[in-house]
Amino acid sequence: MRQFNPKVLLAILIPLAVISPLVAIVLGTANISLTEVIGAISRTIINFFEPESKMILADRIIIELRLPRALMAMTCGAGLAVSGSVLQSVTKNPLADPYLFGISAGASLGAILALTGGLTFLPLPICAFLGSLIAVAVVVVMARDGQVETLVLSGVAISFLLSSIANLVLYFGDPQAMQAVLFWSLGSFSRATWETLMAPGIIVLVATVIIYQFQRPLQALMAGDESAHTQGVAVLPLRLGMLVLTALMTSSLVAACGGIGFVGLMVPHIVRMLIGSASSSSLISTALLGGVLMVWVDLLARVLLPSQELPVGVMTAMLGSVFFIGLLVKRKKGLK
């Protein structure tokens, strides 16, 4: 496949990252024009210190419902895509993503315990982060021989184990709470607010900036541990640090949006196919493409059925399945 110039891809993705949330705000059950969206945002900025009660209804729909939802979708897509890219680098496994390592499963278990009353004394995001850290710690201990293959297999095993425990907690939990938890676990941005957006937004932004500073060591790690050692890379601290950062990003997103899979698998693959992995802008492109993709998936989930909203996690799973079937078919043709 012919690859793009990295600058050309960025020139396409940056406008898309601006246009996509605006389209998501305009489209929905209540028809809103682009002029109304721009006017609502302008009035909100101008009247930032005015009492909230003075905001008209149309502005409330835009500013309090659709705008935070669109930004949450952008944040979630960017964070999961960056997490997947980092995990694929530190493990040299193109199929690695937060779900493979049990990070999402650990975060989901912690969040479910908080939602069902098991850990009510702790905030939900803290429970999710603790669950993801426990998952990472167990995986690292199991893979203390330093072999990447052991790390991957341990992650798969822990993911299944923690998912089973989460299902067991739901089975014995309150039936009324279980239905709400079930919809949340499938992934949704319907509860996005400015308050719930704040923590994951800051975490994803800061973590992505930190990861960007380690682009060269991560690229060296892709060539193998021995090659990275010869280039002066501290392999074990780098790998552990990246795992903790991805755990922090993933847990904050799981706490806010629920379980959303396949984004961390698909987007890094697409970026590598388009511009390769050696470009210094590949991480930025991965974050932008992940955010844009998630905004459009959420928009489809809202408008596909006239009177019902589909879970976002179901939509990404369907897209991911089709994507990897396509990869397998392409690889099979290439082997002939």
Side-chain angles (χ1 to χ4, degrees):
M1 178 179 177
R2 185 175 177 272
Q3 292 187 338
F4 283 80
N5 184 313
K7 292 181 179 179
V8 172
L9 183 61
L10 279 178
I12 295 171
L13 288 175
I14 290 173
L16 275 176
V18 176
I19 295 169
S20 298
L22 291 175
V23 174
I25 295 170
V26 168
L27 299 179
T29 52
N31 293 324
I32 298 172
S33 68
L34 183 59
T35 305
E36 288 177 307
V37 173
I38 295 173
I41 295 173
S42 301
R43 284 190 294 271
T44 303
I45 294 172
I46 294 170
N47 301 321
F48 183 75
F49 297 103
E50 291 293 321
E52 189 178 353
S53 58
K54 291 186 177 181
M55 189 179 292
I56 63 175
L57 179 59
D59 287 4
R60 284 182 180 276
I61 294 173
I62 295 167
I63 301 301
E64 296 182 359
L65 296 177
R66 294 194 181 178
L67 182 56
R69 178 168 184 153
L71 294 178
M72 180 68 85
M74 281 286 296
T75 301
C76 182
L80 292 177
V82 169
S83 296
S85 177
V86 170
L87 289 174
Q88 289 168 18
S89 296
V90 299
T91 64
K92 303 188 292 293
N93 185 341
L95 299 179
D97 85 327
Y99 281 79
L100 177 67
F101 267 80
I103 295 174
S104 291
S108 294
L109 176 58
I112 287 170
L113 287 172
L115 289 168
T116 56
L119 295 173
T120 52
F121 56 91
L122 287 175
L124 190 148
I126 300 297
C127 292
F129 181 51
L130 290 175
S132 64
L133 277 185
I134 290 171
V136 168
V138 173
V139 169
V140 170
V141 169
M142 291 177 66
R144 58 183 178 275
D145 59 359
Q147 296 295 319
V148 172
E149 294 80 5
T150 309
L151 192 69
V152 174
L153 291 174
S154 301
V156 173
I158 293 303
S159 181
F160 279 108
L161 175 62
L162 295 178
S163 296
S164 299
I165 295 173
N167 290 332
L168 198 62
V169 171
L170 286 176
Y171 181 78
F172 288 107
D174 181 7
Q176 292 182 347
M178 187 172 68
Q179 189 164 357
V181 171
L182 179 61
F183 185 78
W184 167 85
S185 66
L186 294 175
S188 174
F189 304 120
S190 60
R191 297 182 179 178
T193 64
W194 291 108
E195 289 76 16
T196 58
L197 174 64
M198 188 67 67
I202 293 172
I203 289 170
V204 169
L205 177 61
V206 173
T208 302
V209 170
I210 293 171
I211 292 166
Y212 184 79
Q213 305 304 314
F214 288 88
Q215 277 288 87
R216 286 191 176 182
L218 285 172
Q219 289 173 2
L221 204 59
M222 285 284 286
D225 290 5
E226 291 184 6
S227 175
H229 274 302
T230 59
Q231 296 182 49
V233 177
V235 173
L236 184 59
L238 177 63
R239 184 169 282 138
L240 290 176
M242 291 298 108
L243 285 174
V244 171
L245 273 179
T246 54
L248 182 59
M249 276 198 292
T250 303
S251 62
S252 68
L253 295 170
V254 167
C257 313
I260 299 173
F262 283 96
V263 178
L265 279 169
M266 289 190 295
V267 176
H269 268 288
I270 295 170
V271 171
R272 279 196 295 272
M273 285 191 295
L274 292 175
I275 62 172
S277 58
S279 171
S280 59
S281 65
S282 61
L283 186 72
I284 300 172
S285 298
T286 299
L288 289 173
L289 182 58
V292 169
L293 174 66
M294 190 60 75
V295 169
W296 285 99
V297 169
D298 180 49
L299 180 59
L300 279 176
R302 286 195 291 118
V303 302
L304 206 57
L305 298 178
S307 58
Q308 190 175 357
E309 180 178 320
L310 295 173
V312 176
V314 173
M315 299 286 289
T316 57
M318 291 171 64
L319 286 173
S321 301
V322 173
F323 177 79
F324 276 100
I325 289 171
L327 280 182
L328 290 173
V329 171
K330 183 179 178 182
R331 183 179 180 184
K332 188 176 180 181
K333 288 181 178 179
L335 292 174
K336 288 183 178 180

